[in-house]
Amino acid sequence: MLEIFIEFRGYLYFIATIFLVAFLYSYVYYMYKAQREGTKDYEKYARLALDDSILDTPLEARENKRDGREK
């Protein structure tokens, strides 16, 4: 009976590893595609750790969207 659980655990580990590898490669491809198309500039975000002063300019402009609620 214990051998069945050990074997099942091995299969589950293998399937989880394959799933996580596929997820990682799909995310890397998404980032590469977004960088190539120009929708995101990840090199700009990489400088964020170096340009961390309060006086530095923001990376992207933000719109102030208010839905009528006061905070």
Side-chain angles (χ1 to χ4, degrees):
M1 183 73 176
L2 186 60
E3 295 87 20
I4 294 171
F5 290 119
I6 292 173
E7 187 174 343
F8 178 71
R9 185 177 66 179
Y11 287 134
L12 186 63
Y13 179 77
F14 180 74
I15 291 170
T17 302
I18 295 299
F19 173 75
L20 291 174
V21 166
F23 178 75
L24 175 68
Y25 277 107
S26 65
Y27 185 66
V28 168
Y29 177 73
Y30 163 75
M31 288 177 46
Y32 171 74
K33 185 178 171 188
Q35 177 81 24
R36 187 181 63 205
E37 291 177 352
T39 56
K40 290 280 186 183
D41 186 10
Y42 290 105
E43 291 179 12
K44 177 174 63 175
Y45 292 120
R47 298 248 349 131
L48 184 61
L50 299 175
D51 300 333
D52 196 22
S53 174
I54 192 72
L55 301 176
D56 289 333
T57 59
L59 293 177
E60 295 178 350
R62 292 182 57 186
E63 293 181 19
N64 190 4
K65 296 181 181 178
R66 296 199 118 178
D67 57 358
R69 293 183 293 165
E70 292 293 324
K71 290 187 176 182

